[in-house]
Amino acid sequence: MTTQGQVRVCLPPEGIDAPWTLDSYRARGGYDAWEKVLKEKTSREDLIEVIKASGLRGRGGAGFPTGLKLSFMPRDAAGQKYIVCNSDESEPGTFKDRDILRFNPHQVIEGMALAGYAIGATVGYNYIRGEYYEPWSRFEQALIEAREAGLLGADLLGSGIEFELHSQRGAGAYICGEETALLESLEGKKGQPRFKPPFPAQVGAFGKPTTINNTETLASIPPIIRNGAQWFSGMGVANAGGTKIFSVSGHVNRPGNYEVPLGLPFKDLLEMAGGVLNGGRLKAVIPGGSSVPVVPGDLMMTATMDYDGLSKIGSALGAGSVIVMDHTTCMVSVLERISYFYYVESCGQCTPCREGTGWLYRMLNRIRCGEGLPSDIDQLKSVADRIEGRTICALGDAAAWPVQSFLKHFRHEFEAMVSSNQKVA
């Protein structure tokens, strides 16, 4: 991540060799905030207030105010507490956290240390997606460097403060991106979501109070503490402070990660990504990862990239995973592929999700393969509506929302495919 707004993230940064090393991070002000906290023994409450004032919201999808989430931790309660980083980046279209871990792991470490100190935790865990070998390897090396420099461990810089940090690799399960399923996996159990309440801030990892945040969220904390809340909030818009990394993929000329101020018009982000591939026409955009509602291209061109801006057009910022589709895209095929993903990734704990995702995929596959019936379209909507809001975690909603939005905006394509199939029959 950069500390400047309105720039493309060049990963690795141009002109910087091995940016993942401690020396490189130090040269850019790295660990200044952590060392200041250790030397001055900054009030935990003051630290949380700065994060609150910055307007930082969770970058993993939910968008919950980070400072408020940190404040939920019962800091004065006796016993062990934990800070956990969710690096199980598995949402289709999302690849920002991977590059943060690859090219700037020390900023994640410093962010976890600062957040851990703020909630009174002395131990942290970074749960990293199992397929991310290079990001995990870079993070492990960064941990070694930080320990050797006296930035992790006991009695840090003679302050009497301790903080230790570990990494844990996942096993390739999308469901473990859900925070309570992540905790189950971290404890060595089957990755399935827990009933809430109790919430992790009361009963989390190993039965102890735990705060869980996304990789990008925690990596945003060091520059906020170093430069101040107003510096960060001033780069965003109301209700959405700071910058955000958008993973832009699909039919664009320059796919990649782009860090821009929240509130940037989508058309400007699309221009940064080189515009629609080969000069094609924009047909549709999924602005926040495969689980958020799809938006027709003409409507998307009026939107701004922030929580309220995307909510106004019926979608969501999500994890900032922008999937661009041009005029050649078959929306039936896209929805079939998305539905297959949620079908195979359902943990099977909740009946509506376990059975419903299979129904959605099989009906869509039937339509695409030329065997669809006119009644299938309404049946798709009916099944999606019966999944939404009826599961322990949000995977059921994630499977339902694409179906609902694709049918809302592109129903004519589904009807045309069914109609052509009927004529052939």
Side-chain angles (χ1 to χ4, degrees), residues 230-253:
Q230 291 185 342
W231 166 83
F232 189 77
S233 62
M235 288 190 288
V237 294
N239 201 35
T243 61
K244 173 81 182 75
I245 298 178
F246 289 97
S247 301
V248 185
S249 64
H251 295 138
V252 292
N253 288 302

Side-chain angles (χ1 to χ4, degrees), residues 352-410:
C353 182
R354 181 184 67 245
E355 301 300 326
T357 53
W359 273 82
L360 294 176
Y361 166 65
R362 287 189 293 272
M363 283 190 287
L364 285 162
N365 177 258
R366 189 164 66 224
I367 291 172
R368 187 190 59 79
C369 291
E371 300 172 358
L373 302 172
S375 60
D376 285 343
I377 298 174
D378 288 335
Q379 184 78 350
L380 275 171
K381 176 68 163 53
S382 176
V383 172
D385 290 347
R386 283 165 169 75
I387 299 174
E388 184 185 14
R390 292 174 171 84
T391 53
I392 295 172
C393 79
L395 191 146
D397 295 343
W401 290 340
V403 172
Q404 294 165 341
S405 63
F406 271 69
L407 291 180
K408 175 183 177 181
H409 296 296
F410 299 99

Side-chain angles (χ1 to χ4, degrees), residues 86-153:
N86 185 347
S87 294
D88 190 57
E89 183 178 50
S90 304
E91 179 85 357
T94 309
F95 45 89
K96 60 183 178 64
D97 295 343
R98 173 186 65 186
D99 279 349
I100 293 172
L101 292 170
R102 290 172 69 204
F103 300 115
N104 206 0
H106 281 285
Q107 192 156 318
V108 181
I109 293 172
E110 186 179 13
M112 291 189 69
L114 288 164
Y117 172 81
I119 64 172
T122 58
V123 178
Y125 293 94
N126 188 4
Y127 187 95
I128 301 174
R129 179 179 175 182
E131 293 89 343
Y132 282 1
Y133 178 77
E134 185 184 35
W136 169 78
S137 178
R138 290 265 173 88
F139 189 81
E140 279 289 294
Q141 184 59 42
L143 286 178
I144 294 171
E145 290 183 313
R147 289 193 190 101
E148 291 177 347
L151 297 165
L152 294 176

Side-chain angles (χ1 to χ4, degrees), residues 51-314:
I51 298 170
K52 283 183 178 179
S54 73
L56 175 65
R57 295 174 60 173
R59 302 308 200 219
F64 194 83
T66 303
L68 183 60
K69 189 172 188 178
L70 293 173
S71 72
F72 290 160
M73 173 65 71
R75 295 182 296 282
D76 297 327
Q80 182 65 60
K81 306 176 187 68
Y82 296 105
I83 183 77
V84 172
C85 179
N86 185 347
S87 294
D88 190 57
E89 183 178 50
S90 304
E91 179 85 357
T94 309
F95 45 89
K96 60 183 178 64
D97 295 343
R98 173 186 65 186
D99 279 349
I100 293 172
L101 292 170
R102 290 172 69 204
F103 300 115
N104 206 0
H106 281 285
Q107 192 156 318
V108 181
I109 293 172
E110 186 179 13
M112 291 189 69
L114 288 164
Y117 172 81
I119 64 172
T122 58
V123 178
Y125 293 94
N126 188 4
Y127 187 95
I128 301 174
R129 179 179 175 182
E131 293 89 343
Y132 282 1
Y133 178 77
E134 185 184 35
W136 169 78
S137 178
R138 290 265 173 88
F139 189 81
E140 279 289 294
Q141 184 59 42
L143 286 178
I144 294 171
E145 290 183 313
R147 289 193 190 101
E148 291 177 347
L151 297 165
L152 294 176
D155 192 22
L156 300 173
L157 304 183
S159 64
I161 296 170
E162 63 177 293
F163 184 76
E164 189 52 88
L165 185 53
H166 311 278
S167 69
Q168 172 64 46
R169 295 180 68 191
Y174 170 78
I175 193 62
C176 288
E178 195 277 334
E179 62 179 20
T180 62
L182 183 155
L183 294 177
E184 289 287 290
S185 178
L186 182 65
E187 294 174 2
K189 304 172 187 174
K190 183 178 181 180
Q192 289 188 322
R194 299 174 180 175
F195 285 98
K196 294 181 285 188
F199 294 93
Q202 285 76 48
V203 181
F206 312 106
K208 302 297 183 180
T210 304
T211 297
I212 308 164
N213 284 111
N214 168 259
T215 310
E216 184 186 355
T217 310
L218 289 164
S220 299
I221 292 177
I224 290 173
I225 304 304
R226 189 167 62 243
N227 299 300
Q230 291 185 342
W231 166 83
F232 189 77
S233 62
M235 288 190 288
V237 294
N239 201 35
T243 61
K244 173 81 182 75
I245 298 178
F246 289 97
S247 301
V248 185
S249 64
H251 295 138
V252 292
N253 288 302
R254 289 197 300 272
N257 284 314
Y258 296 82
E259 183 173 20
V260 300
L262 282 165
L264 184 81
F266 168 75
K267 58 182 175 56
D268 292 349
L269 179 61
L270 181 62
E271 184 178 348
M272 287 181 182
V276 180
L277 185 66
N278 299 326
R281 297 191 309 275
L282 181 65
K283 181 174 184 177
V285 178
I286 301 176
S290 63
S291 62
V292 309
V294 69
V295 179
D298 56 350
L299 184 58
M300 193 68 202
M301 291 298 284
T302 69
T304 55
M305 300 304 291
D306 59 89
Y307 302 98
D308 295 338
L310 290 170
S311 178
K312 288 177 182 177
I313 60 170

